Amino acid sequence: MGRFDGKAVLVTGAASGIGRAVAQAFAAQGARLALADLNPDGLKAVARDLGAVALSHDAMIPGNGAQMVTDAVDNLGGLDALINVAGAYHRAHFADLAASDWDRMLRINLTGVFELCQAALPALTRSKGAIVNTTSTAGIGGIAYAAAYAASKGGVIALTKSLAAELAHLGIRVNAVAPGRVKTAISAGLTPLQGARPELSVHRAKLAGMEEGAAPEDLTGAYLWLAGKDAAYVSGQVIVADGAWSVG
Ligand SMILES: NC(=O)c1ccc[n+]([C@@H]2O[C@H](COP(=O)([O-])OP(=O)(O)OC[C@H]3O[C@@H](n4cnc5c(N)ncnc54)[C@H](O)[C@@H]3O)[C@@H](O)[C@H]2O)c1
């Protein structure tokens, strides 16, 4: 028997990386899944493997996420958990950071999450469901050369806590996972930023044996726990999963 047998779960960013691993983990626990992503080919492959509904989603387009949530709720006949994983990363020296890149980071990583949470509210109210967002250690401690990304992820934490406070009386729980370094496509192609000072990088070998970063699968337990009934009294929290990078 699975921990999410029969539960309706929507996972964004499900075509790759953490979102794909999270979708696989929910499927293994019996969830009925709607999966969303910008990348149609990756999404179709994952959805086919898991017998899930595949929904195209571009967080850059206002209103697109709300329509996608409506489609997910219609397809699944309700919604027990909204798992927001989709996100994008951008690096630049702050002096060179273009306003368009600042806006893009805020749009995909923060405004996109706002739209999905708001659109899912009626269905989650009916189910007394849960939201699990994805922030980052960058959203807690900041990160050199990625100010827009860090600001967007800091915003996700404030959004998560504010919704937890406002929606608790409806029985809706809202939490977030803050990964540290995870080996996914988001950082795979990054070349060193010209002129960057290495000592300011958060990805230094402080990870003591974990400097390579986590596999996406290492993160899935946090999402499942926060979405499920074992965390029934947990809301407004950020679970940091960074291999002890941020302590000591
Ligand atoms: N990998 C890390 O080290 C790390 C660390 C902390 C937080 N995170 C966060 O984890 C989440 C997942 O990232 P990942 O590492 O699995 O990377 P990833 O690139 O493998 O996955 C991100 C997914 O988001 C999708 N996406 C990008 N832009 C989109 C848009 N405009 N609309 C809809 N979907 C879009 C991509 O298509 C992709 O499938 C992100 O929110 C990221 O910020 C990652």
Side-chain angles (χ1 to χ4, degrees):
M1 202 177 107
R3 285 154 64 192
F4 289 88
D5 276 343
K7 297 291 184 192
V9 178
L10 168 58
V11 182
T12 74
S16 70
I18 299 169
R20 178 172 55 200
V22 166
Q24 289 164 342
F26 274 105
Q29 292 298 328
R32 293 181 300 113
L33 287 169
L35 305 179
D37 206 284
L38 180 65
N39 163 4
D41 295 338
L43 181 65
K44 269 185 220 144
V46 179
R48 194 178 48 237
D49 282 356
L50 302 181
V53 175
L55 299 168
S56 79
H57 171 219
D58 186 352
M60 281 297 288
I61 302 173
N64 177 275
Q67 183 58 52
M68 182 276 287
V69 169
T70 301
D71 293 345
V73 172
D74 286 350
N75 269 285
L76 297 173
L79 191 66
D80 295 292
L82 167 63
I83 314 296
N84 286 311
V85 187
Y89 186 65
H90 175 74
R91 283 187 318 171
H93 291 269
F94 181 66
D96 304 329
L97 178 58
S100 57
D101 285 324
W102 172 270
D103 288 345
R104 188 168 57 85
M105 283 296 101
L106 272 286
R107 173 77 228 169
I108 295 174
N109 293 341
L110 180 56
T111 311
V113 175
F114 145 71
E115 284 185 359
L116 299 191
C117 291
Q118 193 176 58
L121 201 49
L124 292 175
T125 302
R126 287 193 292 277
S127 64
K128 297 192 189 307
I131 297 172
V132 184
N133 292 325
T134 303
T135 177
S136 165
T137 47
I140 300 169
I143 181 171
Y145 310 116
Y149 176 79
S152 70
K153 292 298 187 178
V156 169
I157 294 174
L159 176 67
T160 298
K161 293 186 178 200
S162 301
L163 294 189
E166 188 167 333
L167 304 181
H169 75 102
L170 298 174
I172 299 173
R173 298 180 303 103
V174 189
N175 292 288
V177 177
R181 186 179 195 182
V182 187
K183 289 175 283 185
T184 67
I186 210 166
S187 54
L190 293 181
T191 49
L193 186 65
Q194 212 177 10
R197 298 167 64 122
E199 72 276 18
L200 302 186
S201 166
V202 295
H203 294 157
R204 45 190 188 259
K206 188 180 170 186
L207 290 154
M210 297 190 239
E211 60 268 27
E212 289 304 316
E217 293 72 23
D218 296 335
L219 277 292
T220 57
Y223 287 87
L224 263 63
W225 182 68
L226 288 171
K229 59 181 186 323
D230 287 345
Y233 204 52
V234 178
S235 195
Q237 302 305 306
V238 178
I239 304 297
V240 177
D242 71 349
W245 176 79
S246 56
V247 296

Short mmCIF file of all heavy atoms in Angstrom, two decimals, residues 73-97:
data_model
loop_
_atom_site.label_atom_id
_atom_site.label_comp_id
_atom_site.label_asym_id
_atom_site.label_seq_id
_atom_site.Cartn_x
_atom_site.Cartn_y
_atom_site.Cartn_z
N VAL A 73 -6.74 19.91 -12.35
CA VAL A 73 -7.84 19.60 -11.43
C VAL A 73 -8.96 18.88 -12.20
O VAL A 73 -9.52 17.88 -11.72
CB VAL A 73 -8.36 20.88 -10.75
CG1 VAL A 73 -9.62 20.60 -9.94
CG2 VAL A 73 -7.27 21.49 -9.86
N ASP A 74 -9.26 19.34 -13.41
CA ASP A 74 -10.29 18.68 -14.23
C ASP A 74 -9.90 17.24 -14.54
O ASP A 74 -10.71 16.32 -14.44
CB ASP A 74 -10.48 19.43 -15.56
CG ASP A 74 -11.22 20.75 -15.35
OD1 ASP A 74 -11.75 20.97 -14.24
OD2 ASP A 74 -11.26 21.55 -16.31
N ASN A 75 -8.63 17.06 -14.94
CA ASN A 75 -8.15 15.72 -15.30
C ASN A 75 -8.14 14.76 -14.13
O ASN A 75 -8.45 13.57 -14.27
CB ASN A 75 -6.74 15.81 -15.87
CG ASN A 75 -6.75 15.97 -17.38
OD1 ASN A 75 -7.02 15.01 -18.08
ND2 ASN A 75 -6.50 17.18 -17.85
N LEU A 76 -7.74 15.26 -12.96
CA LEU A 76 -7.59 14.39 -11.79
C LEU A 76 -8.87 14.32 -10.95
O LEU A 76 -8.98 13.52 -10.03
CB LEU A 76 -6.43 14.90 -10.90
CG LEU A 76 -5.04 14.90 -11.54
CD1 LEU A 76 -4.02 15.59 -10.62
CD2 LEU A 76 -4.58 13.48 -11.83
N GLY A 77 -9.83 15.21 -11.24
CA GLY A 77 -11.06 15.24 -10.46
C GLY A 77 -10.85 15.84 -9.07
O GLY A 77 -11.59 15.54 -8.14
N GLY A 78 -9.84 16.69 -8.93
CA GLY A 78 -9.55 17.33 -7.64
C GLY A 78 -8.05 17.47 -7.48
O GLY A 78 -7.29 17.21 -8.43
N LEU A 79 -7.63 17.93 -6.32
CA LEU A 79 -6.19 18.08 -6.08
C LEU A 79 -5.90 17.95 -4.58
O LEU A 79 -6.50 18.65 -3.77
CB LEU A 79 -5.70 19.45 -6.58
CG LEU A 79 -4.19 19.63 -6.64
CD1 LEU A 79 -3.58 18.70 -7.70
CD2 LEU A 79 -3.83 21.09 -6.97
N ASP A 80 -5.00 17.04 -4.24
CA ASP A 80 -4.59 16.88 -2.84
C ASP A 80 -3.26 17.56 -2.55
O ASP A 80 -3.02 17.96 -1.41
CB ASP A 80 -4.48 15.38 -2.50
CG ASP A 80 -5.83 14.69 -2.57
OD1 ASP A 80 -6.68 15.00 -1.72
OD2 ASP A 80 -6.05 13.88 -3.50
N ALA A 81 -2.40 17.68 -3.54
CA ALA A 81 -1.10 18.33 -3.30
C ALA A 81 -0.60 19.02 -4.57
O ALA A 81 -0.66 18.44 -5.66
CB ALA A 81 -0.07 17.31 -2.82
N LEU A 82 -0.13 20.24 -4.38
CA LEU A 82 0.54 21.00 -5.44
C LEU A 82 2.02 21.06 -5.10
O LEU A 82 2.39 21.60 -4.04
CB LEU A 82 -0.03 22.42 -5.51
CG LEU A 82 0.76 23.43 -6.36
CD1 LEU A 82 0.78 23.02 -7.83
CD2 LEU A 82 0.16 24.84 -6.21
N ILE A 83 2.84 20.50 -5.99
CA ILE A 83 4.28 20.43 -5.73
C ILE A 83 4.98 21.32 -6.77
O ILE A 83 5.11 20.95 -7.95
CB ILE A 83 4.80 18.98 -5.84
CG1 ILE A 83 3.89 17.99 -5.09
CG2 ILE A 83 6.24 18.90 -5.35
CD1 ILE A 83 3.83 18.19 -3.59
N ASN A 84 5.42 22.49 -6.36
CA ASN A 84 6.04 23.45 -7.26
C ASN A 84 7.55 23.26 -7.30
O ASN A 84 8.25 23.61 -6.34
CB ASN A 84 5.73 24.88 -6.79
CG ASN A 84 4.30 25.27 -7.05
OD1 ASN A 84 3.79 25.11 -8.16
ND2 ASN A 84 3.62 25.77 -6.03
N VAL A 85 8.02 22.71 -8.41
CA VAL A 85 9.47 22.47 -8.54
C VAL A 85 10.08 23.27 -9.70
O VAL A 85 11.26 23.59 -9.68
CB VAL A 85 9.77 20.96 -8.73
CG1 VAL A 85 11.28 20.71 -8.69
CG2 VAL A 85 9.09 20.12 -7.66
N ALA A 86 9.29 23.62 -10.71
CA ALA A 86 9.82 24.31 -11.89
C ALA A 86 10.64 25.54 -11.46
O ALA A 86 10.26 26.26 -10.54
CB ALA A 86 8.68 24.74 -12.80
N GLY A 87 11.73 25.76 -12.15
CA GLY A 87 12.53 26.94 -11.83
C GLY A 87 13.66 27.11 -12.83
O GLY A 87 13.96 26.21 -13.61
N ALA A 88 14.25 28.28 -12.82
CA ALA A 88 15.37 28.58 -13.71
C ALA A 88 16.41 29.38 -12.93
O ALA A 88 16.10 29.99 -11.90
CB ALA A 88 14.87 29.37 -14.92
N TYR A 89 17.64 29.36 -13.48
CA TYR A 89 18.79 29.96 -12.79
C TYR A 89 19.46 30.95 -13.72
O TYR A 89 19.48 30.76 -14.94
CB TYR A 89 19.76 28.83 -12.41
CG TYR A 89 20.94 29.23 -11.56
CD1 TYR A 89 20.75 29.70 -10.28
CD2 TYR A 89 22.24 29.09 -12.03
CE1 TYR A 89 21.83 30.05 -9.47
CE2 TYR A 89 23.33 29.43 -11.24
CZ TYR A 89 23.12 29.90 -9.96
OH TYR A 89 24.19 30.25 -9.17
N HIS A 90 20.01 31.99 -13.16
CA HIS A 90 20.74 32.95 -13.98
C HIS A 90 21.91 33.50 -13.17
O HIS A 90 21.76 33.84 -12.00
CB HIS A 90 19.83 34.11 -14.39
CG HIS A 90 20.55 35.19 -15.13
ND1 HIS A 90 20.95 35.03 -16.44
CD2 HIS A 90 20.97 36.42 -14.75
CE1 HIS A 90 21.59 36.11 -16.83
NE2 HIS A 90 21.62 36.97 -15.84
N ARG A 91 23.06 33.58 -13.83
CA ARG A 91 24.25 34.14 -13.17
C ARG A 91 24.72 35.39 -13.88
O ARG A 91 24.69 35.45 -15.12
CB ARG A 91 25.41 33.14 -13.20
CG ARG A 91 25.30 32.03 -12.21
CD ARG A 91 26.55 31.21 -12.21
NE ARG A 91 27.06 30.99 -13.57
CZ ARG A 91 28.24 30.45 -13.84
NH1 ARG A 91 29.04 30.10 -12.87
NH2 ARG A 91 28.62 30.26 -15.08
N ALA A 92 25.15 36.35 -13.11
CA ALA A 92 25.75 37.56 -13.68
C ALA A 92 26.43 38.33 -12.55
O ALA A 92 26.01 38.22 -11.39
CB ALA A 92 24.69 38.45 -14.33
N HIS A 93 27.45 39.09 -12.89
CA HIS A 93 27.93 40.09 -11.94
C HIS A 93 26.78 41.07 -11.69
O HIS A 93 26.11 41.47 -12.66
CB HIS A 93 29.14 40.83 -12.51
CG HIS A 93 30.35 39.96 -12.63
ND1 HIS A 93 31.29 39.83 -11.63
CD2 HIS A 93 30.76 39.15 -13.64
CE1 HIS A 93 32.24 38.99 -12.01
NE2 HIS A 93 31.93 38.56 -13.22
N PHE A 94 26.59 41.46 -10.45
CA PHE A 94 25.44 42.32 -10.16
C PHE A 94 25.49 43.60 -10.99
O PHE A 94 24.45 44.09 -11.45
CB PHE A 94 25.37 42.65 -8.66
CG PHE A 94 24.19 43.50 -8.32
CD1 PHE A 94 22.91 43.00 -8.45
CD2 PHE A 94 24.35 44.81 -7.91
CE1 PHE A 94 21.79 43.78 -8.16
CE2 PHE A 94 23.25 45.60 -7.62
CZ PHE A 94 21.97 45.09 -7.75
N ALA A 95 26.70 44.11 -11.20
CA ALA A 95 26.84 45.36 -11.97
C ALA A 95 26.31 45.20 -13.40
O ALA A 95 25.90 46.19 -14.01
CB ALA A 95 28.30 45.79 -11.99
N ASP A 96 26.34 43.96 -13.91
CA ASP A 96 25.91 43.71 -15.29
C ASP A 96 24.52 43.11 -15.38
O ASP A 96 24.06 42.78 -16.49
CB ASP A 96 26.88 42.72 -15.98
CG ASP A 96 28.31 43.20 -15.94
OD1 ASP A 96 28.51 44.44 -15.96
OD2 ASP A 96 29.23 42.36 -15.86
N LEU A 97 23.88 42.90 -14.25
CA LEU A 97 22.59 42.19 -14.26
C LEU A 97 21.54 43.00 -15.01
O LEU A 97 21.19 44.12 -14.62
CB LEU A 97 22.15 41.93 -12.80
CG LEU A 97 20.81 41.25 -12.58
CD1 LEU A 97 20.77 39.88 -13.27
CD2 LEU A 97 20.55 41.09 -11.09
#
